[in-house]
Structure formats: structure tokens, C-alpha cells
Amino acid sequence: MEPSVVFFSGLTASDVWFLTEAAFRTLLISVLSISMGTAIGIFCGWLLYEGKIFATLTLAPILDVFRSVPLIIQLVLFYNMAPILGLNLDPFASGTVILTIYTAALVANVARGGFEAVGLPIRRAARSLGMTYFQDLRYVVLPIGGRAVFPAWIGVALGVMKDSALVSVLGYVELLKASQILITRTQQPFVVLAIAGAFYFALSYPVSRYAAKLEKRWAQ
Amino acid sequence: MIEIRDLHKYFGDLHVLKGIDLDVQKGEVLSIIGASGSGKSTLLYCINALEPIQKGRVVVDGTDVHAKGTDINRLRQKLGMVFQQWNSFPHLTALENVALAPRIVKGKPKAEARDIASEQLRRVGLSDKINVYPSALSGGQQQRLAIARALAMEPEYMLFDEATSALDPELVGEVLDTMRLLAEEGMTMICVTHEMGFARDVSDRIAYFHQGVMEEIGPPQQLFGNPHSENTRKFLAKVR
Ligand SMILES: Nc1ncnc2c1ncn2[C@@H]1O[C@H](COP(=O)(O)OP(=O)(O)O)[C@@H](O)[C@H]1O
Ligand SMILES: [Mg+2]
């Protein structure tokens, strides 16, 4: 092996590329889980808001389980139980499923708060104009409630992005797993972890900046 | 015309409307007065089915409002409503507030909806606030915005539920003026109000509500000058 460029002792350009690829996998599994989880979470939040008793008795406890059991336990359990259920899922698929459910469980509560943030009077005003129930949801409740809970949702999304590191225990080579592999080989934990940390920062910083900008625009 | 027959409304065990019979003719302005809790708001909500009823009928231009097969979203288009608390959509500019329902409910093209909206905003004197968000409007302006928003659906009836009660005194006049203007244009209106001067000047008839019952109804000069009911007399003595 003849590394062309040596950054620090033992860390090559291809190692950095290796981390970059891993960062893309972190991004991929995060974007997938957050978007699907958000969609499911909003639906669950709507059930909690509208379904009152039924949802409170059935859905709420299930979501509580996913919210309170540590993610790493959920991941390992699901990955090892899936084959018993006849599902043959690779680490990526298993991780995506669990992260999605986990996101949904967190978003459901946020979303319910969003629905509750929109007062009955304003919804009555919308309905009095002839809007259907779903037009009211789409054009009034979603934008108003969505903006009210947007910061909380951003918090969930960035949290899930960081938590996606836990999928490494299943062997999926995202940022953390890639770092571990490199550390074992190069024995340069500080350098490698610093680079990995910088990648995480680079992934979340633009999101929080953009979110802050949006919030500012809405505040006017 | 609006026909209300033996209307009963309960909230649980609470009997809020106890058999209301009332006709409102096309072009008429009816004011409803009465103490707080007498069921005035609830009556308006029953007219456009924001609240279900337990007995009786409400018929608007021949359509039974509370019947199963009634397309209530269509019917509400002809029953504009303005509430006590201004309910502007905070995420939309004044123009968008007014243009939204014509666009999504009536399916008007965007440009046409905007034209309708700016015309209605002009009508209520908000032409210079078209691109302003509600948070930058005073209560009186928001209430006029609410009127414009309702008018944009080209309703045949307007229901006002104490449209000025939540306003600072100095802002009441501009909203009442807008309502007067509508009345002069021949709009059919039912106005729940505490503004006795407005009721007297503008109304064809005034109804007095007392504990879920319509105690008395008549032209302003009769109701104010020579009320038949003792309760009406007491109420008027208190508010004047
Ligand atoms: N959603 C509701 N649930 C239970 N009670 C209600 C509700 N809305 C109104 N009421 C009651 O119905 C009565 C009439 O209320 P309302 O029509 O608002 O009176 P008004 O508009 O004349 O002040 C009051 O006793 C009020 O507390
Ligand atoms: Mg009231």
C-alpha cells in the first residue's frame, strides 16, 4: 500500500474518502427515516388529537414504548428478531425501520401539540367559509400548527440524525462505524473522531441555520 | 330567507335554546340582543351548522341545514360569518387571507381570487394593507379583514357574532361603519350585538333573547320605546 497523500501519520486521502462515503450513508439513513417517520408521526399525532379515547388507549402506549426504550436495544432486538418473523433485513433496512418508528413516536407527540396549538375559533372561521374538514387541515391547521412546533420538530430531526450512529452496532458502515474501523487500523482516535465530529456538524449546521432563517421569516 | 322552527339546542344537559321560532327575510337586518349566556352565539352557530341541533329545523332558501343529505360546505358559502374574536389566518397576508377560500373552496383561478380579494379589501377600507400580515393590523382592521374574507365568498347572508365586543372602544366605530355600509347595500344580516345605537339605527327588527328563549321581537322603536316583556324592560334599563 502506497498512500499518495498522507494527512496525519497513517491517515490517507482514501481514508478521508472512506469517511465521506460513510457520512453520506449517515445522511441517507437519516433523511429516509426522518421523512418517513415524520409522515407516519403526523398521522399518529392526528389520530391522538382526533381519535381521543381509542387512540389514547391503544396508540399512545405503543408510542410510549418506542419513545422510552433505548434506541440501541430496539435496534439489536429488531435486527435479531426479524429473521424469526420471516423478515430477512440487512443492517441498513433494519436500522431504517427502527429509526423510522422511533422518529414517528417522537414526531407524533410534537404533531399532536401542533394540532392543539390551532385554536377552535380559527378552525370554525375556516369551516364557516365553506372549507371541508381536510381543506381546514391542509390550509389552516398544517401551516399554523406546523410553524408552532417547527423548532421542536427540527430538534427531533437533528437528534435522530445523531442517534443514527447507533445503527453502527448492526454493522452498517455509517460515520461512527467507519470511524471505529479507521481507529482500529490507524490507532489515531483523536484525529479520526475529530473528522467524524466535523462531518456530523457539517450535516446538522446548515439545517439549524436554515431552520433559524425560516423561523425568523415566519415571526414577522 | 332563513326559517327557524322550534329550534332546541342542548350542551349535554344544559338546555341552551328552548324552542326558537324566527324568520329572516331577504334584505332584512335583524339585531339580536340579550344578556351574556342567553344563547345568541349558539343560535348563529346553529344557523350555519357549526353546532348540531337536537330538535327543530333551520331552513335556508329551502334547504334544511341540518338534514343528512345537505352539502353543508356548499350551504355555508352563502352564510358569511364574523366572530367576536378576530380570526385572521396569521400565516397569510391580508390579501391571501381573503383570497384563500375563493381559491380552494370555489376553485377560482389564483389571479381571479386575488382580484376578488383586493376588491373586498377595498370595500372594507384596507386597500393599503394588502400585503401586510395580520399581526401588523389593529383589532379593528383585523375585524374588517374578517368581514372582507367572508364577503369574498359572495354570501347572501351575513352573521355577525358581537363583531365589536372584543375591540378597544376607539376601534368599534370603523367596524360598525363597515357593517352599516353592508346593510345599506341590502345585505341580509343577523347581528348579535351590544351596540344599542347600531341596533336602533340599522336594524329592521330587534330580537331580545333571555335564557334561551326569544322573549320579544319587533321594530327598534317598539322594542326600545315600548317593550312588551318585563325582562326586555329590565335588560334595556341595565344597558342604557
Ligand atoms: N361548547 C359549549 N359547551 C358547553 N356549553 C356551552 C358551549 N357553548 C356555549 N355554552 C353555554 O351555552 C349557553 C349559551 O351560550 P352562548 O350562546 O355563547 O351565549 P351568548 O352568546 O348569548 O352569550 C351558556 O350558558 C354557555 O355557557
Ligand atoms: Mg356570545
Side-chain angles (χ1 to χ4, degrees), chain B residues 151-207:
Chain B
L151 290 177
M153 293 303 286
E154 298 171 312
E156 292 173 38
Y157 305 88
M158 285 290 289
L159 313 174
F160 290 89
D161 187 12
E162 296 191 31
T164 58
S165 295
L167 296 177
D168 291 336
E170 73 271 18
L171 300 176
V172 168
E174 60 188 76
V175 175
L176 290 184
D177 287 346
T178 307
M179 291 169 67
R180 275 203 179 87
L181 209 69
L182 272 184
E184 281 161 18
E185 288 173 11
M187 175 65 78
T188 311
M189 296 165 50
I190 303 182
C191 311
V192 172
T193 186
H194 286 305
E195 298 291 332
M196 296 303 150
F198 171 84
R200 177 201 300 269
D201 296 348
V202 177
S203 317
D204 298 299
R205 286 187 302 164
I206 300 178

Side-chain angles (χ1 to χ4, degrees), chain B residues 59-81:
Chain B
V59 179
V60 174
D61 295 340
T63 307
D64 187 337
V65 175
H66 295 271
K68 261 214 174 77
T70 301
D71 181 351
I72 191 61
N73 296 315
R74 171 163 286 269
L75 192 65
R76 280 182 186 143
Q77 293 176 33
K78 60 160 111 176
L79 293 160
M81 184 156 189

